[in-house]
Every structure is written in structure tokens, then in C-alpha cells.
Amino acid sequence: MMFGSSIFSSILTTCLVSPIWISNYRSFVAPMALARALATAPVLKKRSKKAAFLCRTSGAEIASTISNPSSNGYPEYNRLLPCPLQNGPPRVEHLIVSEGGNVLEYICKSLGLPPLFVADLIHFGAVYYALVCPKPPPSATPEQIRLFKEVTAPSVLQKRASIKGKTVREAQKTFRITHVSEFVETGTYLRVHIHPKRFPRCYEIDWKSRIIAVTESYVVLDKPAGTSVGGTTDNIEESCATFTSRALDLTTPLMTTHQIDNCSEGCVVLARTKEYCSIFHGKIREKQVKKLYLALAAAPVPVGLISHYMRPVNVAPRIVSKEFIGGWHLCQLEVLECKEVPWPSATVEERYGLEDCGWPSKSVAYECKINLLTGKTHQIRTQLAAYGAPIVGDAMYMPAVIAEMVNPGTNPFGEYGEQYNSEVDRTRAVENWIAKHGKEPNVAIGLQACQISWDDGRCFYEAGTPWWRWQIH
């Protein structure tokens, strides 16, 4: 692997698109996250003549193949997809345009990708642009910083009419490319998610049967597990909002008002208008929206209020402490009831893609009804795991609970956590604890948003039977 001045130099000397760096992170949040991969970027290999030939396909031909509606209104995918139905390893390419032109043609020529492939990526919302390349992090080498300054020098930027009246920081904001024929000018930064995160379950669901209510302002959906509410950074096509909109033949796409995890199921409110989207966001901020959950835990959970403090780091797995820590976020939920139920059968586990996380006892599970008082990401999953009662099928949090059971004290914030002599020791312990966790589940876990209500209960909706009960009835 190598990164050198040849890459940045090629920005100024070639007439195509030059790669800056390659990141293996699917989630791109800010220039800082982007530039962490700066020092490990490989140099792009020379394009083949075959790849260059493929790029001559016209924009009209490409656009016509993006989505062919079938008889049921869903798009037909009867050709090569951007990636297989199973998720490929994350791959993100970062490019600088050195001569203005058609965005699809630039990406094809730079990365040696077929036009249909790139067209799909654009259709999925997996291609972004910014007028100016994001700034490298403080950890960048002097040479990298010099090269960045060279391509973003005021003498270069002041010649670009598109950024007049904008600060450099404003010009570094990223936006999605929305059409294959969009024009990108010289100096534009491009980010291409080569392997979007896929949601094949979207094509298996009878979406009309999952719709709970339809009003003039909103739609309530019983979200299936293994799907995304509003899409991901690299895939807005395979989402509940998109497929529900199609199922209802809506001309204006539904908008997300709140989220639940991809691996969870249950009540989700989708707005039909921007106005109601803002109204519902306000209700959430003012704590007017009440949510009840059913959680299938691997061990019993005490009835009553459970409080923890969550580490203010926006990265999974989420870490919580029972003891107060300054700057950490208060998380509270109320367990209304906890009853013993059969552990899901092997047939049900297979049907819903449940992952075997190695829990030692699988004779019974515990269904808990939970009133969520604060709405932090992964809150129920993290808090139940902290009590030694992880959610069934939760491949991210259950392995860590098992590790703590086998070796008490592994969790630095647990009951048997050690007292550390230095911050370095504590940091190392936290890193080791994070390493005990697994990856995010692919399909289902035992968690359902079973009820949602607002306006003092005047708007009240319930989800259907949770997946784990189907073996009982």
C-alpha cells in the first residue's frame, strides 16, 4: 500500500478523475472520518481499454435501465446489481474532478466500472459530491497537507464561480448526486460507495400487509426486521419509506420522522408532508410521543425503573455505566412486566435469520414490556445487556455479556469492574471491552416497537404479533 504525491499531482495533470484516498468505512460523517484513511490509500491501477470502451454508453441508455416497473409497481432487478444480495466488504472511493463533465463518465473512467454499475450506485444514493475537497486531519503528514493546500489554494478556488459567496467550509459540505447525467466541474470532490449496504428482505415483504394506518398527514408502518426505515448513507432505495410509498402508489415519497434499528421490528411513523415531519419532530422533542417495546431477553429482567449513563461516543457498540460519569447521557427505561416464554425454535430462528450467539441456556426466554423514557441509539439493547439479559439474537451485545459471565470483571463498568490507577489503563480496558462485542445482526433480534401514541393517546397504534410468538399460536 502506498500514498504519494503522484496521486495529488495527477489531479492537476490528467484530464480524467484522480483518486485521493480509499476508505474502508461505510459510514462517512465528516471530513475527519474521511481523512483517517489518507495515509493508507493505494494508487489506482491503470485502466484497461475494455473499461474505457464501456464508458462510452450514452446517458439516455443508462437512465432507461435504472428502474423498470413490474406489474406490482416494484422495480425489476433482472440484471447485474451494484453488488450481490449479500453485503460485500465496505469500499469507498474518494475522487477529485480535474476537468468538468458528466459524473457517470468520470466515475467509470476513473474506477474502471461499467456504466450500469455506476448508474445503480447513483440510483441507490451512493454517490456524493462537494465543491471543495474536505480538509485532512491533524494526523496527516506534512507532505499530505502541502498537497492538499496545493489543490485548494485561494488562487485556484477564486477562479471557480460556483463557490463565490461561500466559505471554504460551506463548499466542503457533501450532497448526493441524484442523476446519471449531472455535470461536475473541475475541482469537485466525489465520494463513491462501491459496495452499498444491502437489504434483500425488502423484496420478500408484502408491504401492504405491514401498513397499520394511512392518514392525510402520515402513515404508520409495522416495520419488518432486517430493513432500514429511511435508508442508509449509501442506500436510500432499499428502505421502508421507499417500498411503502410504492405499495400505496404515492406520488410524493414518504419521509422518516424517527428511527428504530434495522434489526428491530414494529411501529414507525412516516410523514406524507414536510410540514407534518416537522410537527412530529416537535412532538418527539417535547416528549409527547410514547413508545412501548417488547423485548425477548435471554435472562430475567427486574420490573421497575432501570437507569444507566451512556458514553457520548456516536459509534456502536454503545457503552453504559450504572454509576454516574460526568458528560455521559442519562438513559432510562421502565420494565412494566417480564414473563417467561419458550425460546424460539430452530425453525423460527432460521426463518427470521436469527444469529446463534452462543448463549449457554436456550430452554426459556423472557418477554419484557418496556416503556422507553429516553430514546438513545441501542438503548434497550445496551441496558438489558448491562443487566446480563441481552436480547435474543443480538450478535453485537450478547457476546460481550457471555465474556463477562465467563470472566467477571471484563466489563470495566460492570459490577466487578476494577479500579484503574491511570486513565491509560482505563482507556485500554474500555478498548478491550469493546473488542468483546460482535457485529450488528443482519436480520432480526427479539425487539419490537409494539405501541406508539401521541396527543394524549388520541393517536394510538399497535404492531402485529411479534415474530417470536408465531411458534406459540
Side-chain angles (χ1 to χ4, degrees), residues 356-417:
D356 184 357
C357 307
W359 191 254
S361 174
K362 296 182 179 178
S363 56
V364 296
Y366 298 85
E367 185 181 277
C368 306
K369 180 174 284 189
I370 294 172
N371 178 19
L372 188 62
L373 302 177
T374 58
K376 302 298 181 183
T377 302
H378 290 195
Q379 181 182 328
I380 295 176
R381 298 165 61 185
T382 310
Q383 288 196 266
L384 294 192
Y387 260 89
I391 291 175
V392 172
D394 196 341
M396 175 167 282
Y397 292 97
M398 187 177 280
V401 177
I402 296 173
E404 175 70 6
M405 291 168 58
V406 173
N407 186 15
T410 302
N411 179 1
F413 303 105
E415 182 180 356
Y416 304 102

Side-chain angles (χ1 to χ4, degrees), residues 189-418:
Y189 158 78
L190 294 174
R191 186 176 87 240
V192 186
H193 296 257
I194 304 296
H195 296 161
K197 180 174 175 59
R198 302 306 299 274
F199 296 93
R201 193 147 190 256
C202 285
Y203 306 98
E204 304 168 3
I205 301 298
D206 176 4
W207 289 92
K208 286 187 177 180
S209 71
R210 307 291 301 202
I211 297 171
I212 299 172
V214 180
T215 74
E216 292 182 358
S217 301
Y218 61 85
V219 172
V220 182
L221 176 72
D222 188 353
K223 173 192 172 297
T227 61
S228 170
V229 176
T232 58
T233 301
D234 50 13
N235 186 349
I236 56 174
E237 162 65 19
E238 296 170 339
S239 69
C240 294
T242 297
F243 278 77
T244 304
S245 298
R246 290 197 186 119
L248 292 172
D249 294 322
L250 300 179
T251 55
T252 302
L254 293 166
M255 291 163 277
T256 59
T257 63
H258 62 109
Q259 296 282 349
I260 62 175
D261 293 344
N262 296 342
C263 52
S264 302
E265 65 178 19
C267 297
V268 170
V269 178
L270 301 169
R272 297 187 65 173
T273 65
K274 289 183 178 179
E275 291 75 16
Y276 193 78
C277 195
S278 298
I279 290 171
F280 199 83
H281 285 160
K283 294 179 186 294
I284 293 175
R285 285 194 304 271
E286 296 166 10
K287 301 188 183 301
Q288 296 179 7
V289 180
K290 184 178 181 180
K291 302 175 187 177
L292 292 185
Y293 285 79
L294 289 177
L296 189 67
V301 182
V303 173
L305 184 68
I306 297 179
S307 299
H308 288 91
Y309 296 89
M310 181 177 287
R311 187 175 70 138
V313 176
N314 192 28
V315 177
R318 307 296 168 132
I319 305 299
V320 297
S321 169
K322 194 172 183 180
E323 303 300 325
F324 171 80
I325 299 178
W328 287 34
H329 303 306
L330 175 64
C331 294
Q332 289 187 317
L333 58 81
E334 182 184 11
V335 180
L336 303 177
E337 62 180 53
C338 181
K339 61 182 181 181
E340 187 177 295
V341 297
W343 190 280
S345 66
T347 302
V348 172
E349 288 185 336
E350 182 178 0
R351 178 180 178 183
Y352 291 95
L354 216 68
E355 298 188 40
D356 184 357
C357 307
W359 191 254
S361 174
K362 296 182 179 178
S363 56
V364 296
Y366 298 85
E367 185 181 277
C368 306
K369 180 174 284 189
I370 294 172
N371 178 19
L372 188 62
L373 302 177
T374 58
K376 302 298 181 183
T377 302
H378 290 195
Q379 181 182 328
I380 295 176
R381 298 165 61 185
T382 310
Q383 288 196 266
L384 294 192
Y387 260 89
I391 291 175
V392 172
D394 196 341
M396 175 167 282
Y397 292 97
M398 187 177 280
V401 177
I402 296 173
E404 175 70 6
M405 291 168 58
V406 173
N407 186 15
T410 302
N411 179 1
F413 303 105
E415 182 180 356
Y416 304 102
E418 300 179 12

Side-chain angles (χ1 to χ4, degrees), residues 13-241:
T13 58
T14 65
C15 62
L16 301 174
V17 181
S18 302
I20 306 175
W21 48 71
I22 292 178
S23 169
N24 285 326
Y25 297 97
R26 177 172 282 129
S27 176
F28 179 93
V29 179
M32 188 67 69
L34 161 74
R36 287 194 186 104
L38 189 64
T40 59
V43 175
L44 186 69
K45 294 180 179 179
K46 186 176 180 181
R47 296 181 309 280
S48 66
K49 292 182 179 179
K50 182 179 180 181
F53 174 78
L54 287 170
C55 295
R56 296 195 187 101
T57 305
S58 71
E61 292 173 331
I62 295 164
S64 67
T65 62
I66 289 178
S67 179
N68 301 315
S70 61
S71 58
N72 64 3
Y74 294 167
E76 277 187 332
Y77 288 96
N78 53 7
R79 57 174 176 73
L80 180 66
L81 294 171
C83 58
L85 287 180
Q86 66 272 20
N87 286 314
R91 178 187 168 194
V92 183
E93 300 276 359
H94 305 272
L95 315 171
I96 285 288
V97 177
S98 61
E99 182 179 3
N102 177 279
V103 65
L104 184 140
E105 293 178 0
Y106 272 118
I107 294 173
C108 288
K109 291 176 182 178
S110 174
L111 302 179
L113 299 175
L116 292 179
F117 188 109
V118 177
D120 274 343
L121 293 179
I122 292 172
H123 179 61
F124 271 50
V127 180
Y128 290 77
Y129 79 93
L131 293 174
V132 175
C133 178
K135 184 179 179 180
S139 59
T141 66
E143 177 65 9
Q144 291 164 353
I145 294 173
R146 185 192 67 78
L147 293 170
F148 167 78
K149 290 180 178 179
E150 183 178 331
V151 297
T152 59
S155 59
V156 175
L157 298 182
Q158 67 185 6
K159 297 177 183 178
R160 298 177 58 187
S162 62
I163 65 174
K164 287 184 178 179
K166 297 183 177 68
T167 65
V168 172
R169 187 169 183 177
E170 289 172 339
Q172 289 173 332
K173 290 184 64 175
T174 55
F175 301 91
R176 275 193 172 98
I177 295 288
T178 58
H179 199 276
V180 293
S181 62
E182 283 194 33
F183 177 88
V184 286
E185 68 172 355
T186 302
T188 300
Y189 158 78
L190 294 174
R191 186 176 87 240
V192 186
H193 296 257
I194 304 296
H195 296 161
K197 180 174 175 59
R198 302 306 299 274
F199 296 93
R201 193 147 190 256
C202 285
Y203 306 98
E204 304 168 3
I205 301 298
D206 176 4
W207 289 92
K208 286 187 177 180
S209 71
R210 307 291 301 202
I211 297 171
I212 299 172
V214 180
T215 74
E216 292 182 358
S217 301
Y218 61 85
V219 172
V220 182
L221 176 72
D222 188 353
K223 173 192 172 297
T227 61
S228 170
V229 176
T232 58
T233 301
D234 50 13
N235 186 349
I236 56 174
E237 162 65 19
E238 296 170 339
S239 69
C240 294

